[in-house]
Amino acid sequence: MSRIERIGPHVLHLGDCRDILPTLAPVAAVVTSPPYGQQRDYGLGTFDWRAVVSGGLSGVVGCETQMLINLGLIHRDGRVIRYWDTLIADMEEKGWRLFGWYVWDQMSGMAGDWNGRLAPSFEFVFHFNKVSRHVNKTKPTLGGRQHSGNIRSQDGTSKSKSHNGREVQPSKIPDNVIRCVRETEPGPNAVHPARFPIRFALELVEPFTSHGDVVVDP
C-alpha cells in the first residue's frame, strides 16, 4: 500500500518505487542518488539493489524523460566494483540508452586512510534517455565574451563558428564536470552522513527542464 503527502507544491508518494513510477504522468527528468550498490541492507533483512534500482528506474514513463543517476565508487577485495554495469544492461534492455556520463567533482578528498588509494573526491552521473532534448544554457560564458571557436570540416579545413550569427555567446551549456562541494555532517548524531546537496541537484535539474516541468526523485 502507498499513500500521498503534499509538501507545498511537491507531492511525496510513500511506497515501492517499482509500483508507483509507472503510474505517474510522463516526467521531464529523473534526478536521483540511489544506494551505491549492495553495501547495506537498510534494515530490510535483504536488499536486492539490482531488483529495486534497475526495476524502478526502467519503469519510468515518458519517451522524452532525461534520467540522471548519481553513483559513487565501491571497492571490495582490492578492486573497483563496477556495479553500474548491470544497471546499464537493464536500462538498455528496456529501451533506455546511456546517453552521457558525467563527473561530480566534490572539490576536496575526504580525510582518512584509503588503503593505498588517493582520497576520493568524485562520483559519477549516468545520463539515460530515449531521445535527447534541448539543453538550457545556464552558465555564463567566461567574461561574457568568449568566442564560439572554430570547427573543423571533414576535409580538414576549419571555419569560424558563431552563435546565432554572433561571434560571442554570453551563456553556455554546463560542463560535464559538475563542481560542487559535498555536504557532510560529522559525528555519531548526524541525520545523514552524506546528504544530497541542493545545489548539486539543481546542476542536474536546470539544464534539462523548463518551468512547470515535473521532476521525480525515486
Side-chain angles (χ1 to χ4, degrees), residues 129-168:
N129 65 19
K130 295 181 179 178
V131 297
S132 60
R133 63 157 285 163
H134 171 76
V135 182
N136 301 321
K137 294 186 175 182
T138 61
K139 299 297 181 182
T141 304
L142 181 64
R145 300 288 297 175
Q146 181 168 312
H147 285 269
S148 300
N150 294 334
I151 185 170
R152 188 175 295 276
S153 303
Q154 188 173 2
D155 63 4
T157 60
S158 64
K159 61 181 179 180
S160 177
K161 182 177 65 172
S162 63
H163 177 67
N164 293 332
R166 294 174 290 166
E167 283 295 317
V168 297

Side-chain angles (χ1 to χ4, degrees), residues 41-79:
D41 62 17
Y42 295 94
L44 301 174
T46 59
F47 178 73
D48 188 332
W49 188 88
R50 184 175 185 180
V52 174
V53 177
S54 294
L57 294 174
S58 62
V60 170
V61 177
C63 63
E64 297 184 1
T65 302
Q66 306 301 305
M67 195 173 304
L68 298 130
I69 305 169
N70 165 225
L71 294 174
L73 291 172
I74 292 178
H75 299 100
R76 190 175 295 133
D77 299 327
R79 296 179 180 274

Side-chain angles (χ1 to χ4, degrees), residues 12 108 189:
L12 177 63
S108 177
N189 298 319

Side-chain angles (χ1 to χ4, degrees), residues 15-147:
D16 192 321
C17 67
R18 293 169 292 182
D19 299 328
I20 295 171
L21 286 172
T23 70
L24 301 180
V27 299
V30 172
V31 175
T32 190
S33 181
Y36 296 172
Q38 201 76 43
Q39 297 188 96
R40 304 172 182 88
D41 62 17
Y42 295 94
L44 301 174
T46 59
F47 178 73
D48 188 332
W49 188 88
R50 184 175 185 180
V52 174
V53 177
S54 294
L57 294 174
S58 62
V60 170
V61 177
C63 63
E64 297 184 1
T65 302
Q66 306 301 305
M67 195 173 304
L68 298 130
I69 305 169
N70 165 225
L71 294 174
L73 291 172
I74 292 178
H75 299 100
R76 190 175 295 133
D77 299 327
R79 296 179 180 274
V80 173
I81 306 301
R82 303 195 315 182
Y83 61 97
W84 49 77
D85 286 350
T86 58
L87 174 64
I88 295 171
D90 292 341
M91 295 295 287
E92 290 181 340
E93 184 179 352
K94 295 292 186 178
W96 297 89
R97 60 185 182 178
L98 180 59
F99 181 71
W101 193 343
Y102 313 137
V103 171
W104 174 14
D105 174 8
Q106 299 172 333
M107 310 298 284
S108 177
M110 293 181 288
D113 181 0
W114 297 100
N115 299 317
R117 301 181 184 90
L118 299 181
S121 65
F122 75 91
E123 294 182 357
F124 294 130
V125 177
F126 295 87
H127 181 183
F128 293 95
N129 65 19
K130 295 181 179 178
V131 297
S132 60
R133 63 157 285 163
H134 171 76
V135 182
N136 301 321
K137 294 186 175 182
T138 61
K139 299 297 181 182
T141 304
L142 181 64
R145 300 288 297 175
Q146 181 168 312
H147 285 269

